[in-house]
Amino acid sequence: MTTSHVPALRPVPAAAESVTEIPAFPFTPIPRPDLYAAADGVSNTRDGHVLLICAPAGAGKSVLVADWAARHAAGTSDVAWVTVTEQLDDATALWTVLHTRFDIANTTRTGPPAAQAAALADPLAARTTPTVLVLDDAHLLTDPLALAGIEYFLQHAPANVTTVLCARFAPPLRWHLLELHSRLTRWGPSELAFTPAQIDALCRDHGCALTGDELATLHALTRGWAALVRIAATHLAARSDDRAAALTVLARPARVVADFLRSELVEALPPALRRFLTYTSIPVSFTEQLADELLGGGAGHFLHELDRIDFPIDSHVRDGEVWFSCHPLVRAHFLAEARRLGPDLCAELHRRAARWLRSAGLPATALPHQLAGADRDQLCEFLSTCALRMVLDGRGATLFDQLGRSAPALLDDPFLWLVRVVDALVTGSTAAAVACLDTAAARRAAKISFASPERLDALTLAATIDVAATTGADLPGFPDRVSPTGDPDLDAYTEIQIATAFVAGGAVARGEQLLHSALALAEHAGRPRSVLRALTRLAFAADAVDAATAMRERAARALVIAEEHGLLGTTDAVQATSVAAYGAYLQGETPEAAQIASVLTERAEPDGSCGPAAGWRGHVVGRLLDLERAEEQSAAVDALRRSLLVLLERKTVPATTGSLILPVVWALLRVHDARTAQLLVERARGIVGELPEVRLADAALHAAADRRKATCAVLEPLLDRAGDLRPVSAVTGWLLYSAAQHESRAPAKALTALENALGSATPHRLLRPFLDVPAAMPLLDSYAGRLGRAESFAATIRRHPAARRRPAYPALTHTEMTVLKQLPSGRTAQQIAADLGVSVNTVKTHLRGIYGKLGTNSRVEALDHARRGGLL
């Protein structure tokens, strides 16, 4: 069966033609069950409801309503169809036709409009049969008396009457009166538009089966406009040998599309509106202010007129501004008109669009207009001030792709090579960043850039620091700060990178000063990504000195900015999440599961591999946080250890790496794996050297082995310079020293050391060392009441729910741990003995030792206790 689903455009019937019967079309319409059901819902309200359908010519209004009305007429409903013509745009002729259709005598042929409408409405109210009245081409009603009568009828229509008006635009009636009583339903082009499945069905009926991509392209071009879909299907079927080329021609648009749009849409427009649409076709979408810039004023009036006639132009709100965009093929038609006006006018319109879009803070949108403006000097000036911003906004691919197509010679400029460095770092391609930095240096030595030397110097310094910080290379020498260039993006980026170098070098206060300056600059310029980066780096600066409260506050501010501007998926936002969670961890709180999941998220790298979204330091933090809720402690601790080793091998900044060594050592000691902890400490020493945290890890291992003298020997040189230690390290050192002195029966020294630990912990509320150091809780209990002003904080620590959540078991020997780890396999004692190369009696002896130390009598109980206690 051959079917067609969109009518050819109907000629306006002459006066002698019947206009009171449901039209019959020479094809089978596409079924629209959803719209049929919606129309049924309107007619079933029984409140004199009105359905107003406004859409351009060829949108399928008449076909849809005729198909639906025919279904009603076949039932119990009475359906009257009237197609308005120029002859019926007269009150007497219109009401005569309506009365005739309903077999009602017209007793008021020359009366006022209200009387004529009432003469029809009152008899209809007396009927029991549901009635549907369709007024097609209702936009042709212009006679004031006819309109007044229709308005009265619609407002006073009987409950059993449903009125459907089909029009290209709404007749000038007071529609709000119906809306106030909830008796009006409006449908427009979006409700009538064909879905991709319906477009596919129509194309198949024309012998043209499209691929998924072709169908998506056709849907984007036509947006389901029925007549355009039919024209496109015919066009593609005739060129089935090269449908890609056919789609390209269609988008220009093709002549048959242009003819349709011209005859049915454009020719009826006044010249001023056509000029407005021609000029505003230059940008893909525009605001009223941009339209004013293109035309020189008057855009508000033109937009009002287009809205009044329901012209196919959409609007949407973006960043608080209303943006307008024509239907793609309509825009293509007017864009072709603009090109016919000459290259000079087009170039000038592109320059105006670029100027306005750039001032509106939309450089990526302005770039194609800047390229089309045919002014190289303006393009170079645009790139020197906007290229870095586009890259920092994640639009680097757009920048370089468009330059590659329209101005490839500029891509070899030294400044753009430096911008490529930043782009590579933003996208996570470290190797590409290093290569681009080398190329930038070579190009600068060989050619003059379009950017000023001040810009080149600033960007070279910032990009070099960024690459060094990312790769773990030695930071280059850098000045205290660089003179501002006046470019907020470049100045903020430069200050952030210099500040990062100061923080990494231990000059945290100076780094924070520069970061606050960069933050103020970014906020004033309205650069949310730079604001996010500055706040995240400020959170890292607080992390460098274990200022947990500041870490959390700054990271929280960063995440608020990220959420407000849709930046939660960026690296900076994930790193801010990591810092916020780590700050909570240091203060003894359990981070949310969503935070942990975010930090542990991996993303694809440019080379095809996967890496942690928060970076490897953030990944270690995520593993550390995940350990708190893991059921299988041994597996979680091993994953944590392996993540730390990867971080160490990457040779990042030693100070930031070293702060994570102690937590991993404590985790290993909790699962009684001192040997692995010792190996880890030795490996760390070989990579980062004798950091204080490495020495503290030595002290922790000595304390775990109950070697008090060795513990004190390691700690005393460190504690003599306790003011140079990070707060967490200082607290840990004082706690270990207090425990050693307490065990050595030196209570005065133990108390002093404990007071020092509390004094170092209190400013930032650092509870975590007290939860990690095994002897901390017994010390706080032993010296309770003698801690002076620290008593309140000590009491808070003792009440912490995590303080005693793990049972304190006697330490198992290395061999007992080996046997314990064999138990979950379900192997017998004989099989375990064979695996270990010992006698079965030896295994049984070890099992008795395990059961005794865990206070259990069976393998099942031992496994349960071991898992709850963190041994497994």
Side-chain angles (χ1 to χ4, degrees), residues 477-740:
F478 55 89
D480 184 73
R481 68 179 303 163
V482 175
S483 298
T485 64
D487 180 348
D489 300 291
L490 178 55
D491 291 342
Y493 176 67
T494 302
E495 286 200 337
I496 288 172
Q497 297 311 319
I498 294 176
T500 301
F502 274 116
V503 171
V508 177
R510 178 56 181 151
E512 287 187 327
Q513 183 182 7
L514 287 176
L515 286 170
H516 281 296
S517 173
L519 175 62
L521 183 62
E523 288 178 332
H524 179 73
R527 304 291 195 265
R529 285 181 181 261
S530 294
V531 170
L532 171 61
R533 172 164 289 196
L535 285 170
T536 300
R537 299 295 172 88
L538 277 168
F540 275 121
D543 183 11
V545 291
D546 295 334
T549 301
M551 290 164 60
R552 300 178 68 179
E553 290 175 350
R554 293 170 179 180
R557 284 182 60 195
L559 292 173
V560 168
I561 294 295
E563 185 171 13
E564 288 177 352
H565 296 278
L567 302 173
L568 286 174
T570 62
T571 298
D572 287 321
V574 179
Q575 289 179 339
T577 302
S578 167
V579 176
Y582 188 53
Y585 171 82
L586 290 179
Q587 293 186 331
E589 298 179 22
T590 303
E592 299 176 2
Q595 284 183 311
I596 300 172
S598 174
V599 173
L600 288 175
T601 298
E602 293 192 352
R603 62 174 54 151
E605 300 284 356
D607 60 3
S609 63
C610 286
W616 279 104
R617 187 183 189 282
H619 194 261
V620 175
V621 170
R623 290 290 187 200
L624 183 62
L625 303 177
D626 196 41
L627 177 64
E628 295 298 298
R629 59 176 186 167
E631 293 183 3
E632 292 291 337
Q633 288 282 298
S634 290
V637 169
D638 189 57
L640 171 62
R641 178 189 61 81
R642 285 186 277 107
S643 292
L644 178 63
L645 285 173
V646 173
L647 177 64
L648 291 170
E649 294 292 346
R650 294 177 70 87
K651 299 182 179 179
T652 53
V653 180
T656 61
T657 305
S659 66
L660 294 174
I661 295 173
L662 267 173
V664 180
V665 169
W666 289 125
L668 287 165
L669 291 176
R670 278 201 299 272
V671 296
H672 301 278
D673 198 350
R675 182 170 179 273
T676 300
Q678 181 67 58
L679 293 173
L680 177 66
V681 172
E682 292 303 323
R683 181 63 183 145
R685 177 177 283 108
I687 296 174
V688 299
E690 289 290 344
L691 290 178
E693 288 74 20
V694 174
R695 301 298 308 277
L696 286 169
D698 283 333
L701 292 171
H702 288 312
D706 198 25
R707 296 192 290 266
R708 293 190 292 274
K709 289 185 178 181
T711 302
C712 292
V714 172
L715 291 173
E716 286 170 352
L718 291 173
L719 297 177
D720 285 342
R721 304 189 312 277
D724 297 334
L725 298 176
R726 292 176 60 140
V728 169
S729 299
V731 175
T732 301
W734 284 120
L735 284 175
L736 289 170
Y737 191 73
S738 178

Side-chain angles (χ1 to χ4, degrees), residues 160-218:
N160 62 319
V161 175
T162 300
T163 308
V164 181
L165 291 93
C166 298
R168 296 188 182 183
F169 52 87
L173 304 179
R174 292 179 294 175
W175 298 106
H176 66 278
L177 296 177
L178 292 171
E179 290 178 319
L180 287 173
H181 294 88
S182 301
R183 291 180 49 229
L184 177 66
T185 298
R186 294 177 183 263
W187 287 359
S190 60
E191 285 79 14
L192 298 177
F194 284 167
T195 65
Q198 291 162 343
I199 295 174
D200 184 49
L202 191 148
C203 289
R204 289 180 185 276
D205 284 345
H206 282 76
C208 179
L210 303 182
T211 65
D213 289 342
E214 291 169 344
L215 181 60
T217 300
L218 183 56

Side-chain angles (χ1 to χ4, degrees), residues 111 143 167 176 224 274 294 438 461 533 602 869:
D143 177 60
H176 66 278
R274 291 167 69 171
L294 293 170
D438 292 340
L461 174 63
R533 172 164 289 196
E602 293 192 352

Side-chain angles (χ1 to χ4, degrees), residues 413-415 418 444 449 451-461:
D413 188 272
F415 182 79
L418 288 170
R444 187 174 185 184
S449 172
S452 67
E454 293 78 15
R455 288 179 181 273
L456 282 170
D457 290 342
L459 188 54
T460 299
L461 174 63

